[in-house]
Amino acid sequence: GLLSLAIHPGNVNILYATTATGVAKSVNGGGTWTYVNSGLTSVDIRSLAVDPSNGEVLYASTPAGVFKTTNGGNLWQLLGVGNGPASLRALVVDPSAPSTLYGLDYSTRILYKSTDGGLTWNLKYTFNIYAGILVAAPTSPTTIFIGGGAYGPIGIFKSTDGGTSFS
């Protein structure tokens, strides 16, 4: 089944979807789909994020780590080998600073941040809930929201300083 769906920011006919067998791409508004998994060492995609300034740049989180493509999924490359978090449940690209990524690890309840396009990651914050939803505000470069609570308290948290603190 369909796990996630993303739209190319410059062309609404180009869609990316994740399924149990990897990343699929449609260039005709969902009429037909082709798998674009070349370079992925795992097709267990936990999260997919599209660069809002360049729809050919995508990031995919897998248990093997974070992968990046710069050509719309035709070829994926593993980033930050040995440095990046594995199995991020949520992944977003900062809309105003595309080299800044945020990733949320559901099992450890940790928010990670990369400022070099996913090559290196820093632990930014640890939550007391199992959060799996991560959203970056499109007009405010340092504002992100995190939500969750599948196994305990439910909450939505807001950061206005790039994930250093939350309220």
Side-chain angles (χ1 to χ4, degrees):
L2 184 66
L3 300 174
S4 66
L5 184 65
I7 301 171
H8 187 294
N11 184 341
V12 296
N13 288 312
I14 300 176
L15 306 172
Y16 302 99
T18 60
T19 71
T21 51
V23 180
K25 180 179 181 179
S26 174
V27 295
N28 58 7
T32 57
W33 294 87
T34 304
Y35 279 95
V36 288
N37 293 330
S38 182
L40 289 173
T41 58
S42 171
V43 293
D44 182 7
I45 309 298
R46 304 293 170 92
S47 183
L48 185 69
V50 179
D51 181 334
S53 65
N54 181 351
E56 296 298 302
V57 176
L58 291 91
Y59 298 88
S61 170
T62 76
V66 177
F67 288 80
K68 178 182 182 179
T69 179
T70 58
N71 55 16
N74 292 326
L75 183 62
W76 295 87
Q77 179 180 7
L78 181 61
L79 298 175
V81 178
N83 296 323
S87 199
L88 296 173
R89 174 67 65 92
L91 186 64
V92 297
V93 180
D94 186 319
S96 63
S99 63
T100 299
L101 307 173
Y102 296 96
L104 188 58
D105 186 317
Y106 182 80
S107 61
T108 62
R109 299 179 278 183
I110 294 175
L111 173 71
Y112 293 93
K113 182 178 181 178
S114 172
T115 57
D116 58 9
L119 294 175
T120 59
W121 295 84
N122 296 305
L123 184 148
K124 289 300 290 182
Y125 199 86
T126 302
F127 291 89
N128 64 351
I129 67 166
Y130 289 99
I133 300 169
L134 176 61
V135 179
T139 58
S140 179
T142 58
T143 300
I144 57 174
F145 293 87
I146 292 187
Y151 302 105
I154 295 173
I156 296 177
F157 300 89
K158 177 182 179 182
S159 173
T160 58
D161 57 11
T164 301
S165 62
F166 283 84
S167 59

